[in-house]
Amino acid sequence: MKKIRILLGFLVLFSFSSCVDIEEHYDFKADGSCNVVYTFDMGKAVSVLMNLMSDSVRATPQFAIKKDTSLNFYSALPDSTQLKMNLDDINMAKSSTLDVKMDLQKSVMKVSINHFSKNTADLQYYLQHISKISMSSKQLNSVTKGSSSSKGFDGQEIVAGQDYYSYDITPHRFYRIIDKVKFNVFLKKTKSTLAMAKAMLIDMPYKVVLNFSKPVKKVSNSKAIVSADRKRVTLITNMDAVIKDPSVMNLKIDF
């Protein structure tokens, strides 16, 4: 029974996006299209927690699962979710892919969501709605969980944090402002997990990289790093800093 409790505690920890290294990568093209990649790397948390497990627990089948798969995001959604989606949501999901790499014995657990937006309106719709679709899907975790008998990684949580942003995107600007009310709701929901990660000395870096086809004119965030040719903007922080001052994630970029 003790082994089961430890195992479940380990897997439940995966169900929160706060216990991962998060990277957002945007590639804006000259024609107005943009490729967006969210990467959630849980390798650090896996490594720390695996060291706390006994050899007998690490030898269980749940910890021997290996995955390296890529599939269309729409196909990963259950029928019950697909039936509730409007045409815009369907097109958005079909323009996205879900990549999963998992090998717990080697401390590998990485999930990426890739999306191609044909224009700025498409991009804004994606950023404002992808988390709602993911959170409404109660069966998406079947893609990333270890086995049908485990509580594995809860796939619908991987983009939960994105729900606390508001966006204003046009062909000449990318504005993202954190909604402090929604962010406080997120903090309350993940309070125990954040505390656990901090107690285990697990850092939670957060990196945003935006590549543009032409030099940017103005960037509002003083902590953002602008490349020499002014075509790349990089913001590096961590969840501790964001919790203390959510505005550190605000970005207003004119280009």
Side-chain angles (χ1 to χ4, degrees):
M1 182 61 69
K2 183 178 180 180
K3 293 179 182 178
I4 294 176
R5 287 200 302 269
I6 294 174
L7 177 59
L8 290 179
F10 173 82
L11 294 172
V12 166
L13 187 61
F14 276 170
S15 68
F16 296 92
S17 61
S18 58
C19 293
V20 302
D21 292 351
I22 304 173
E23 181 168 336
E24 299 178 48
H25 201 111
Y26 299 79
D27 285 315
F28 291 89
K29 309 300 181 183
D31 62 1
S33 63
C34 181
N35 193 69
V36 187
V37 181
Y38 290 147
T39 301
F40 306 82
D41 189 345
M42 288 147 278
K44 187 182 299 182
V46 173
S47 178
V48 171
L49 292 171
M50 286 293 280
N51 288 333
L52 300 177
M53 301 293 171
S54 66
D55 291 340
S56 58
V57 172
R58 288 197 297 266
T60 57
Q62 289 86 348
F63 286 89
I65 296 295
K66 296 181 181 180
K67 287 190 177 185
D68 189 349
T69 184
S70 178
L71 67 161
N72 184 268
F73 191 78
Y74 181 76
S75 67
L77 299 171
D79 293 341
S80 58
T81 298
Q82 292 179 1
L83 291 173
K84 297 176 183 178
M85 296 167 65
N86 60 38
L87 182 59
D88 289 332
D89 289 341
I90 292 173
N91 290 334
M92 175 184 69
K94 287 184 175 180
S95 299
S96 307
T97 58
L98 181 66
D99 298 318
V100 180
K101 291 186 178 181
M102 178 179 177
D103 187 342
L104 300 184
Q105 295 294 340
K106 294 183 178 180
S107 298
V108 174
M109 185 61 181
K110 182 181 291 187
V111 178
S112 297
I113 299 178
N114 301 266
H115 176 75
F116 175 75
S117 298
K118 59 183 181 294
N119 52 46
T120 54
D122 183 21
L123 175 61
Q124 179 156 332
Y125 188 90
Y126 171 76
L127 295 175
Q128 291 180 333
H129 292 82
I130 184 62
S131 63
K132 296 176 183 177
I133 290 178
S134 299
M135 289 296 289
S136 67
S137 171
K138 299 303 183 181
Q139 298 174 16
L140 185 58
N141 58 348
S142 63
V143 177
T144 50
K145 68 183 181 180
S147 69
S148 59
S149 62
S150 75
K151 297 295 184 181
F153 177 80
D154 192 356
Q156 66 262 28
E157 292 286 347
I158 59 182
V159 291
Q162 304 308 314
D163 188 51
Y164 50 66
Y165 292 116
S166 61
Y167 294 89
D168 180 10
I169 305 173
T170 74
H172 300 291
R173 67 171 178 258
F174 178 90
Y175 289 6
R176 180 173 77 174
I177 304 298
I178 199 165
D179 185 318
K180 293 184 178 180
V181 174
K182 290 183 178 180
F183 185 70
N184 286 334
V185 172
F186 168 78
L187 290 181
K188 289 180 181 179
K189 181 179 179 180
T190 60
K191 181 178 180 181
S192 60
T193 301
L194 288 167
M196 185 183 299
K198 189 171 184 179
M200 292 180 178
L201 302 180
I202 299 176
D203 191 18
M204 292 167 283
Y206 201 132
K207 183 177 182 180
V208 183
V209 179
L210 305 100
N211 291 315
F212 298 90
S213 61
K214 56 185 178 181
V216 300
K217 298 177 181 178
K218 184 171 62 175
V219 180
S220 66
N221 194 320
S222 61
K223 295 184 181 299
I225 301 170
V226 182
S227 63
D229 62 2
R230 299 192 66 82
K231 291 185 177 182
R232 170 175 288 195
V233 177
T234 304
L235 178 62
I236 302 175
T237 184
N238 57 60
M239 281 302 297
D240 282 343
V242 176
I243 291 171
K244 293 176 182 177
D245 180 14
S247 65
V248 73
M249 291 301 295
N250 291 344
L251 276 173
K252 288 186 176 182
I253 303 174
D254 293 290
F255 56 94

